[in-house]
Amino acid sequence: MLDYKLLEALVTVIEAGGFERAGVALGLSQSAVSQRIKLLEARLGQPVLIRSPTLQATPTGQRLLNHAQQVQLLERDLGRTLPGLNADRTRLRIALNADSLATWWADAIGEFCREEGLLLDLVIEDQDIGLRRMREGDVAACLCSGDQPVAGARSTLLGHMTYRALARPDYLAHHFPEGPQQAAFRDAPAIVFGPDDQLQHRFLAQRGYHGRFPYHLCPSSEGFVRLAQAGMGYGMIPDHQGHPLVASGDLADLAPGEGIAVNLYWHYWRHGGDFMERLTSTLIRKAQRCLQVPG
Amino acid sequence: MLDYKLLEALVTVIEAGGFERAGVALGLSQSAVSQRIKLLEARLGQPVLIRSPTLQATPTGQRLLNHAQQVQLLERDLGRTLPGLNADRTRLRIALNADSLATWWADAIGEFCREEGLLLDLVIEDQDIGLRRMREGDVAACLCSGDQPVAGARSTLLGHMTYRALARPDYLAHHFPEGPQQAAFRDAPAIVFGPDDQLQHRFLAQRGYHGRFPYHLCPSSEGFVRLAQAGMGYGMIPDHQGHPLVASGDLADLAPGEGIAVNLYWHYWRHGGDFMERLTSTLIRKAQRCLQVPG
């Protein structure tokens, strides 16, 4: 079998983001960690890590990480039937979209984590990057709007979040006195999550507008809402955050009835074992309460 | 003088994160953008961009970005005395910490943005990376806890945020029945913002604990609070978010009276001109209301 001490060093260097931190996490010196990586590379006859400009796994290193992650999940299952085997808590690295993390995610997974002693390493990524990190073995699961599973994984629809174009009432009166007319979009500042954010473009395309528009870039779910509350722009806000603010009159809907539904799929390794299956069942069940589910 | 059309192409490629998007932003074809970058590189006799693994500016490109940013700020000043000169809105790229963006930032800057037509490109970075991006000319200003300005910049203290170790009352009763005793820290799951998050370590060091502890990693300010509300762990939460939740009984203070104050400094280019000076004055003034300020 593989030497899992060496693999563990690789996993920890990537998770902790450096040799020194990996040493702290493993209770080893930095040079002992470095030795293990070197030995792993010597056995394979090729590098597993790229040191610069940023520390990352080589394609070979990624295959090892992917394998180690699946082994850890299987160990977790084994630990249930042999409780004395492993006193460590399971850590699971999961990529998910910022809006889920800022809203319903903790409600859906909290009880499972408490009962199973599961610790989460959460990584905020949009769909393309999240699935790429999954393919590269850097995360064990991914929650995103893409439905196509990567090789070796399954995906299941949990439900959807509905986004509406919201802004402060005085902002709407000033910038959209005639409602969501095309001419107004050219000058009214929008709030966009990031260069990859397609929601704003989808909303404008729905209204038949394809031109340029001014925008703030705000890669924070909560910051996004705060910018809207400060009257700085209009933006696509999920109902989880928007409903209470519309109810209180803080925000208003620019185009009532034109919400955009974004499906959320849970991607997980097919060979993740019983633990991953139970986590998946929990999420499917909790989504009934936390998300809008397919009717 | 320099050919600013070429510099504008460089700025836009970096801001938009790619040639195709830069083309869209500039109303040019992708190949026209590419030609401009090539011409710039031919004139300089060296590359300004590194294409892979991620698109970024070379050290030479960074100096050009830095210069272009300062020129844009000065143009902004000029535009105030010559209103017809430039109908474009100013864009300012600012690095800031996630907790500020999730809480007081929009209240402090919203009015200024509305009145001046300023658009923000916000980038969430911790202090070290934020200041590095500033040094590299990638951002025009940085809000962080570090006080040392980079060369050519000034820093000014805006105030501080106070963080307290909060968790759900039933979590505290279960994991800390005797209060914040050292023995309990070994097994009680914490919530940590990221591998660079020093607040948790400072809190534990204050309590005399230096050992390992289990933790969830959650790089989202709002997600962090939600994990605590779901009873998944205790974590250092700023008063902006914590006060209302403690008042409502959702969260409770693990170690009352042992908050950690984190100073927030505003870093900006010394030659940013009158526009940057006014923005800075506004933030200093608004901080009186939004932050705890030095008494």
Side-chain angles (χ1 to χ4, degrees):
Chain A
M1 285 189 78
L2 292 174
D3 185 340
Y4 283 92
K5 283 276 173 260
L6 308 187
L7 241 60
E8 188 183 31
L10 175 63
V11 168
T12 313
V13 166
I14 290 292
E15 273 187 9
F19 285 78
E20 192 180 337
R21 289 194 195 123
V24 172
L26 292 169
L28 295 171
S29 69
Q30 181 176 345
S31 94
V33 175
S34 181
Q35 296 257 335
R36 289 187 183 186
I37 300 293
K38 277 186 199 137
L39 187 53
L40 184 60
E41 291 181 328
R43 290 200 186 160
L44 289 162
Q46 51 182 304
V48 296
L49 286 175
I50 297 164
R51 268 77 171 177
S52 76
T54 52
L55 186 71
Q56 58 183 86
T58 62
T60 299
Q62 284 160 5
R63 280 198 289 276
L64 292 173
L65 287 173
N66 188 330
H67 170 76
Q69 213 153 46
Q70 299 199 37
V71 170
Q72 283 171 333
L73 282 166
L74 295 175
E75 279 183 10
R76 167 80 205 194
D77 289 345
L78 186 62
R80 279 167 63 87
T81 48
L82 297 170
L85 184 68
N86 190 345
D88 285 0
R89 289 159 174 272
T90 308
R91 292 196 77 79
L92 218 54
R93 185 184 285 231
I94 298 173
L96 76 174
N97 63 320
D99 289 336
S100 289
L101 180 51
T103 56
W104 60 275
W105 171 254
D107 284 340
I109 203 167
E111 190 182 332
F112 186 87
C113 289
R114 291 196 307 274
E115 288 176 358
E116 305 267 354
L118 171 64
L119 297 172
L120 302 180
D121 278 1
L122 300 173
V123 182
I124 298 176
E125 295 291 9
D126 69 24
Q127 140 185 354
D128 296 336
I129 310 278
L131 288 176
R132 196 178 75 201
R133 288 180 77 148
M134 186 152 176
R135 188 161 39 234
E136 291 173 353
D138 182 36
V139 300
C142 174
L143 177 74
C144 69
S145 58
D147 63 341
Q148 286 300 314
V150 303
R154 284 207 182 89
S155 80
T156 182
L157 177 63
L158 293 184
H160 65 268
M161 293 172 82
T162 301
Y163 289 74
R164 296 175 210 280
L166 305 183
R168 223 162 71 171
D170 61 343
Y171 172 95
L172 293 182
H174 179 70
H175 290 280
F176 293 98
E178 323 265 312
Q181 302 297 315
Q182 293 200 20
F185 289 124
R186 197 171 50 85
D187 294 315
I191 311 169
V192 172
F193 192 80
D196 291 315
D197 182 2
Q198 290 306 308
L199 273 174
Q200 176 68 23
H201 290 283
R202 279 176 63 188
F203 172 74
L204 290 175
Q206 229 170 255
R207 306 285 325 169
Y209 185 79
H210 300 279
R212 295 176 65 173
F213 58 92
Y215 60 90
H216 300 282
L217 268 182
C218 179
S220 150
S221 186
E222 189 61 13
F224 194 104
V225 175
R226 300 242 172 230
L227 260 56
Q229 286 181 280
M232 291 166 67
Y234 72 102
M236 301 304 292
I237 294 178
D239 282 349
H240 288 85
Q241 289 163 304
H243 265 163
L245 295 169
V246 170
S248 67
D250 286 338
L251 296 180
D253 198 336
L254 170 58
E258 295 191 34
I260 294 179
V262 173
N263 282 334
L264 286 173
Y265 294 86
W266 174 245
H267 296 255
Y268 59 102
W269 291 116
R270 201 179 296 160
H271 300 299
D274 178 52
F275 182 73
M276 189 54 103
E277 293 291 343
R278 274 183 296 123
L279 172 55
T280 299
S281 310
T282 301
L283 287 176
I284 291 170
R285 185 164 47 80
K286 295 279 187 177
Q288 306 281 333
R289 191 169 49 83
C290 301
L291 281 177
Q292 292 147 313
V293 295
Chain B
M1 284 189 78
L2 292 174
D3 185 340
Y4 283 92
K5 283 274 173 263
L6 308 186
L7 241 61
E8 188 183 32
L10 175 62
V11 167
T12 312
V13 166
I14 290 292
E15 272 187 10
F19 284 79
E20 191 180 336
R21 288 194 195 125
V24 173
L26 291 170
L28 295 172
S29 70
Q30 181 176 345
S31 94
V33 175
S34 181
Q35 295 257 336
R36 289 187 184 188
I37 300 292
K38 275 186 200 139
L39 186 55
L40 183 60
E41 292 180 326
R43 290 197 188 163
L44 288 162
Q46 52 181 304
V48 295
L49 286 175
I50 298 163
R51 267 79 171 175
S52 76
T54 52
L55 186 71
Q56 57 183 85
T58 62
T60 299
Q62 285 160 6
R63 281 198 289 277
L64 292 173
L65 288 172
N66 188 328
H67 170 76
Q69 215 154 45
Q70 300 200 36
V71 170
Q72 283 170 334
L73 283 167
L74 295 176
E75 278 181 11
R76 168 79 205 194
D77 289 345
L78 185 63
R80 278 167 63 85
T81 48
L82 296 171
L85 185 69
N86 192 343
D88 284 359
R89 288 160 176 273
T90 309
R91 291 197 77 78
L92 218 53
R93 184 183 285 231
I94 297 173
L96 75 175
N97 63 320
D99 289 335
S100 289
L101 181 51
T103 56
W104 62 275
W105 171 255
D107 284 340
I109 204 167
E111 191 183 331
F112 186 87
C113 289
R114 292 196 305 274
E115 289 178 357
E116 305 267 355
L118 171 64
L119 297 171
L120 301 181
D121 278 4
L122 300 173
V123 182
I124 298 177
E125 295 291 8
D126 70 22
Q127 145 185 348
D128 295 336
I129 310 278
L131 288 178
R132 195 178 74 200
R133 288 180 77 148
M134 187 151 175
R135 188 160 41 234
E136 291 174 353
D138 183 36
V139 299
C142 174
L143 178 73
C144 70
S145 59
D147 63 340
Q148 287 299 315
V150 303
R154 284 205 182 88
S155 80
T156 182
L157 178 63
L158 293 184
H160 65 268
M161 293 174 82
T162 301
Y163 290 75
R164 297 174 210 280
L166 304 183
R168 222 162 71 172
D170 61 342
Y171 171 94
L172 293 182
H174 179 69
H175 290 280
F176 293 97
E178 322 267 312
Q181 301 297 316
Q182 293 199 20
F185 290 124
R186 199 173 47 87
D187 295 315
I191 310 168
V192 172
F193 192 81
D196 290 315
D197 183 0
Q198 290 306 308
L199 274 173
Q200 176 68 22
H201 291 282
R202 279 174 64 187
F203 172 73
L204 291 175
Q206 228 169 259
R207 306 284 326 165
Y209 185 79
H210 300 278
R212 295 176 65 172
F213 58 92
Y215 60 90
H216 299 282
L217 267 182
C218 179
S220 149
S221 185
E222 190 61 14
F224 194 105
V225 174
R226 302 242 171 229
L227 261 56
Q229 286 181 281
M232 293 167 66
Y234 71 101
M236 302 304 292
I237 293 179
D239 282 349
H240 287 86
Q241 288 163 304
H243 265 163
L245 295 168
V246 170
S248 66
D250 286 339
L251 296 180
D253 198 337
L254 170 57
E258 294 191 33
I260 294 180
V262 174
N263 282 332
L264 286 173
Y265 293 86
W266 174 246
H267 296 254
Y268 59 102
W269 292 115
R270 201 179 293 160
H271 300 299
D274 177 52
F275 182 73
M276 188 55 101
E277 293 292 342
R278 273 183 296 126
L279 171 56
T280 300
S281 308
T282 301
L283 288 175
I284 291 171
R285 186 165 46 81
K286 296 279 188 177
Q288 305 282 332
R289 190 169 52 82
C290 300
L291 282 176
Q292 292 146 313
V293 293

